[in-house]
Amino acid sequence: DGGITQSPKYLFRKEGQNVTLSCEQNLNHDAMYWYRQDPGQGLRLIYYSQIVNDFQKGDIAEGYSVSREKKESFPLTVTSAQKNPTAFYLCASRADTYNEQFFGPGTRLTVL
Amino acid sequence: AQSVAQPEDQVNVAEGNPLTVKCTYSVSGNPYLFWYVQYPNRGLQFLLKYITGDNLVKGSYGFEAEFNKSQTSFHLKKPSALVSDSALYFCAVRDRRGFQKLVFGTGTRLLVSP
């Protein structure tokens, strides 16, 4: 999982609560990403960031928010507006245009 | 729009036999193509990529993939499967233009029996 950490590994949320998932990388990568993984649907892009203080919505951004105040960190907040947040969340980073994305170990979020 | 199809939800193969996991793609222009593997409750691990050059790409753990532009395919192969290869495999494509968003297929579960 090379240089990308995600915490916590498991997270339980009550309905109506906001929760924040942490993603930290020490690879000095500029670009960072958040994906959601649901069974049988592959990975879907939530948000991405190419540089500090800049981020863009992906395909399923509704109900989520992010910040990119430091190069190393790209936290994801799952808000109460996300109606079906139970999923496996993956953070990734990429060095430059030609390179692959490196993934963190993931956070499994369950809504109680 | 970019898209990736992995037509098989599951592939079963006996240990020692060759394996193929299929992937076809749709993208404007020339693609960047990737294969990743995922073990249960883990993140994705990079296996190999095609950027340009030789159509046969060799990657980690003895895997290789063949880029076929005319058939828009990028099938993953291994000459001799191991039980430890059992996992979920994802193909992904990236457009060379713009931000180059990665689009993933829905994944293929590989089961290698002893």
Side-chain angles (χ1 to χ4, degrees):
Chain A
D1 298 321
I4 302 179
T5 58
Q6 291 186 242
S7 62
K9 187 174 177 66
Y10 298 98
L11 185 58
F12 298 91
R13 190 194 92 171
K14 294 180 180 179
E15 287 198 24
Q17 282 185 334
N18 294 352
V19 292
T20 297
L21 283 59
S22 170
C23 177
E24 303 277 335
Q25 55 102 357
N26 61 3
L27 301 168
N28 200 34
H29 288 173
D30 286 316
M32 296 187 74
Y33 308 77
W34 274 105
Y35 293 92
R36 171 180 171 141
Q37 184 178 14
D38 296 283
Q41 295 193 44
L43 276 69
R44 293 181 290 169
L45 182 64
I46 305 173
Y47 268 97
Y48 60 92
S49 169
Q50 298 186 74
I51 56 173
V52 174
N53 293 323
D54 181 69
F55 49 83
Q56 305 295 329
K57 293 182 179 180
D59 299 318
I60 56 165
E62 185 175 353
Y64 300 97
S65 65
V66 294
S67 63
R68 187 85 187 275
E69 298 177 0
K70 300 186 297 181
K71 188 175 186 178
E72 313 81 57
S73 179
F74 191 41
L76 173 74
T77 296
V78 184
T79 75
S80 57
Q82 171 49 238
K83 297 306 178 187
N84 184 23
T86 294
F88 191 50
Y89 290 86
L90 290 160
C91 179
S93 68
R94 177 174 59 85
D96 59 35
T97 300
Y98 303 106
N99 283 328
E100 61 277 13
Q101 293 181 17
F102 290 89
F103 284 81
T107 292
R108 187 166 296 281
L109 173 63
T110 302
V111 174
L112 302 174
Chain B
Q2 305 165 98
S3 66
V4 174
Q6 293 184 241
E8 302 154 316
D9 290 335
Q10 183 165 309
V11 170
N12 297 305
V13 64
E15 188 173 33
N17 285 357
L19 69 87
T20 299
V21 182
K22 295 179 180 178
C23 171
T24 58
Y25 66 90
S26 174
V27 67
S28 299
N30 295 318
Y32 294 152
L33 294 157
F34 302 83
W35 274 103
Y36 288 85
V37 60
Q38 184 180 35
Y39 296 96
N41 293 311
R42 301 289 300 275
L44 275 64
Q45 296 178 31
F46 169 74
L47 281 178
L48 51 81
K49 64 184 176 185
Y50 172 81
I51 303 298
T52 187
D54 194 349
N55 289 344
L56 184 63
V57 178
K58 294 188 182 297
S60 306
Y61 313 118
F63 284 94
E64 58 188 29
E66 186 167 12
F67 171 63
N68 188 316
K69 188 173 183 178
S70 63
Q71 297 185 7
T72 62
S73 67
F74 190 56
H75 301 332
L76 181 70
K77 300 181 179 183
K78 188 174 182 181
S80 179
L82 299 172
V83 173
S84 57
D85 292 330
S86 297
L88 187 58
Y89 290 81
F90 289 98
C91 181
V93 65
R94 196 171 83 201
D95 194 324
R96 293 177 183 237
R97 303 172 301 174
F99 178 67
Q100 305 124 9
K101 182 180 75 172
L102 257 187
V103 173
F104 286 85
T106 53
T108 298
R109 187 164 301 282
L110 174 67
L111 289 178
V112 182
S113 55

